[in-house]
Amino acid sequence: MTDAIPDDEGRSWVIRVPASSANIGPGFDVLGLALTRYLTLNVTSVPSTPAAAKVVLSYKGEGAAEAPLDPYKNLITRVALYVLLSHDLSFPSAVVTIDITNQVPFGRGLGSSASAVVAGVLLASALGDLKLSQSRVKDYALMVERHPDNVTAALVGGFTGSFLRTLEPSELSPSSIPLAEVLPAYPPNAGPPAPGSPLPPQPPISVGRHVKYGFGKDIGVVVVVPKFEVETAKARGALPAEYSKSDVVFNLQRLAVLTAALSQSPPDAEVIWEAMRDKVHQPWREGLVPGLSKILNTLTPSTHDGLLGICLSGAGPTILALVSKVPSTPSSTISTDDSEITPVSEAELGRKRMENVGEAIKKVWSKEGIEVEWMALEVDEKGATLMEVI
């Protein structure tokens, strides 16, 4: 006797999660910015017999040579399994095909792990028909990622500020639960855990709180990505255990100003430049990112037209620069190679300014013998999306 295959053509979804930058200027562990580079999953689930059920991964783009294709090793599917098990479910009795396309480089400070974790929670919501709210998606993501800045920006989009709320004594803090209990290591050729297994640790409800700030449409984002990684644990380890009162006040003052200044049009370069300064994490990480000090101290609005501010993206090593796309004067011009002065459109002006900043940072790093890629991006306002394909 064989199991009957359910008479169902199956379901398909597209999951898309943006890259993100955190620690914007003085906003260490607070500010996040969603960016127009994406982790995309094309998912199909076709019902099958239990014996034929499987999860098949394919992967292309950034990190394709490194990303495991075993669903019990890959971060996205491990997170999905955690969320499913939390609802007393497992992978469905189906052939699940997940085609992953990734534009977010690994280990460069652009939120690759946050994108993967958010994608995994949304994958579980789709496969288990869980219909998780945005707040609950964030709760599960924070059980794995633990820091809300990247997760929040990737999930809700835009320019965000976030924190973890103060928990009641009866609630378990995500950071107090070993990650191995949330995402256990599975042996080779592992199958889905048996139904009825003990539920994994559950996240507190609405543990992460956030606001979305305005972000001026006149501001473009340049990210300059070097061809080396900085381990997050090493970057965290470079930070001191205590800070002086003056350094904390320095950052708090600029944080309060920056969140308002970035929403204004036209952007004020003098205000934003000074408000992007930091004394909490960047000075301590200069030894991990060759050339960082020179980049932060030699590129200014006076040396590069339209430049608003520069900072490390996340823990680095990527550099993030904000650039004004609007003219400083009513009629702006660009000098061409033959030294002629040519009037330009606002769009062309923005592109040229971002190119100038990207190339200038690239030049500094090239003198350090470091190969880089720079990208002109925008802020993604939508955040993560889960769409069923009918």
Short mmCIF file of all heavy atoms in Angstrom, two decimals, residues 227-228 290 362-372:
data_model
loop_
_atom_site.label_atom_id
_atom_site.label_comp_id
_atom_site.label_asym_id
_atom_site.label_seq_id
_atom_site.Cartn_x
_atom_site.Cartn_y
_atom_site.Cartn_z
N LYS A 227 36.92 44.16 -0.47
CA LYS A 227 36.97 42.71 -0.67
C LYS A 227 37.61 42.00 0.53
O LYS A 227 38.51 41.18 0.39
CB LYS A 227 37.74 42.38 -1.95
CG LYS A 227 37.17 43.01 -3.20
CD LYS A 227 35.80 42.46 -3.55
CE LYS A 227 35.30 43.06 -4.86
NZ LYS A 227 33.96 42.59 -5.22
N PHE A 228 37.19 42.36 1.73
CA PHE A 228 37.58 41.61 2.91
C PHE A 228 36.45 41.71 3.92
O PHE A 228 35.58 42.59 3.82
CB PHE A 228 38.90 42.10 3.51
CG PHE A 228 38.86 43.48 4.12
CD1 PHE A 228 38.53 43.66 5.46
CD2 PHE A 228 39.13 44.60 3.34
CE1 PHE A 228 38.49 44.93 6.02
CE2 PHE A 228 39.10 45.88 3.91
CZ PHE A 228 38.78 46.04 5.25
N PRO A 290 41.52 49.11 7.52
CA PRO A 290 42.60 49.98 7.03
C PRO A 290 42.04 51.14 6.20
O PRO A 290 41.15 50.96 5.37
CB PRO A 290 43.43 49.03 6.16
CG PRO A 290 43.11 47.66 6.67
CD PRO A 290 41.68 47.72 7.12
N LYS A 362 37.26 54.81 -3.06
CA LYS A 362 37.97 53.71 -3.73
C LYS A 362 39.46 54.03 -3.88
O LYS A 362 40.33 53.17 -3.67
CB LYS A 362 37.34 53.46 -5.11
CG LYS A 362 38.00 52.36 -5.92
CD LYS A 362 37.30 52.19 -7.26
CE LYS A 362 37.96 51.11 -8.11
NZ LYS A 362 37.25 50.94 -9.42
N LYS A 363 39.78 55.29 -4.19
CA LYS A 363 41.17 55.70 -4.37
C LYS A 363 41.96 55.57 -3.08
O LYS A 363 43.11 55.11 -3.07
CB LYS A 363 41.21 57.13 -4.89
CG LYS A 363 42.61 57.63 -5.23
CD LYS A 363 42.55 59.03 -5.82
CE LYS A 363 43.95 59.55 -6.17
NZ LYS A 363 43.89 60.92 -6.75
N VAL A 364 41.33 55.97 -1.95
CA VAL A 364 42.01 55.84 -0.65
C VAL A 364 42.31 54.37 -0.37
O VAL A 364 43.43 54.02 0.06
CB VAL A 364 41.15 56.44 0.47
CG1 VAL A 364 41.79 56.16 1.84
CG2 VAL A 364 40.98 57.94 0.28
N TRP A 365 41.34 53.51 -0.58
CA TRP A 365 41.55 52.10 -0.29
C TRP A 365 42.55 51.45 -1.25
O TRP A 365 43.28 50.53 -0.88
CB TRP A 365 40.23 51.35 -0.29
CG TRP A 365 39.73 51.08 1.11
CD1 TRP A 365 40.48 50.87 2.22
CD2 TRP A 365 38.37 51.00 1.53
NE1 TRP A 365 39.68 50.65 3.31
CE2 TRP A 365 38.38 50.73 2.92
CE3 TRP A 365 37.15 51.14 0.90
CZ2 TRP A 365 37.23 50.57 3.67
CZ3 TRP A 365 35.99 50.98 1.63
CH2 TRP A 365 36.03 50.70 3.01
N SER A 366 42.55 51.91 -2.50
CA SER A 366 43.49 51.32 -3.46
C SER A 366 44.94 51.58 -3.03
O SER A 366 45.82 50.75 -3.27
CB SER A 366 43.25 51.89 -4.86
OG SER A 366 43.57 53.26 -4.92
N LYS A 367 45.18 52.72 -2.34
CA LYS A 367 46.52 53.00 -1.83
C LYS A 367 46.89 52.08 -0.68
O LYS A 367 48.07 51.94 -0.35
CB LYS A 367 46.60 54.47 -1.40
CG LYS A 367 46.54 55.45 -2.56
CD LYS A 367 46.63 56.90 -2.09
CE LYS A 367 46.61 57.86 -3.26
NZ LYS A 367 46.67 59.28 -2.84
N GLU A 368 45.87 51.48 -0.06
CA GLU A 368 46.12 50.48 0.99
C GLU A 368 46.21 49.07 0.42
O GLU A 368 46.33 48.10 1.16
CB GLU A 368 44.98 50.52 2.02
CG GLU A 368 44.79 51.86 2.72
CD GLU A 368 45.83 52.09 3.82
OE1 GLU A 368 46.48 51.12 4.23
OE2 GLU A 368 45.99 53.25 4.24
N GLY A 369 46.12 48.98 -0.92
CA GLY A 369 46.17 47.68 -1.58
C GLY A 369 44.87 46.89 -1.45
O GLY A 369 44.87 45.67 -1.57
N ILE A 370 43.75 47.60 -1.24
CA ILE A 370 42.47 46.94 -1.03
C ILE A 370 41.56 47.16 -2.24
O ILE A 370 41.32 48.29 -2.66
CB ILE A 370 41.78 47.48 0.24
CG1 ILE A 370 42.64 47.17 1.47
CG2 ILE A 370 40.39 46.89 0.40
CD1 ILE A 370 42.18 47.86 2.73
N GLU A 371 41.07 46.08 -2.78
CA GLU A 371 40.14 46.14 -3.90
C GLU A 371 38.72 46.38 -3.38
O GLU A 371 38.31 45.79 -2.38
CB GLU A 371 40.18 44.82 -4.69
CG GLU A 371 39.30 44.79 -5.92
CD GLU A 371 39.34 43.46 -6.64
OE1 GLU A 371 40.16 42.60 -6.25
OE2 GLU A 371 38.54 43.27 -7.57
N VAL A 372 37.99 47.26 -4.03
CA VAL A 372 36.65 47.60 -3.57
C VAL A 372 35.68 47.67 -4.74
O VAL A 372 36.07 47.76 -5.91
CB VAL A 372 36.62 48.95 -2.82
CG1 VAL A 372 37.63 49.00 -1.71
CG2 VAL A 372 36.81 50.12 -3.78
#
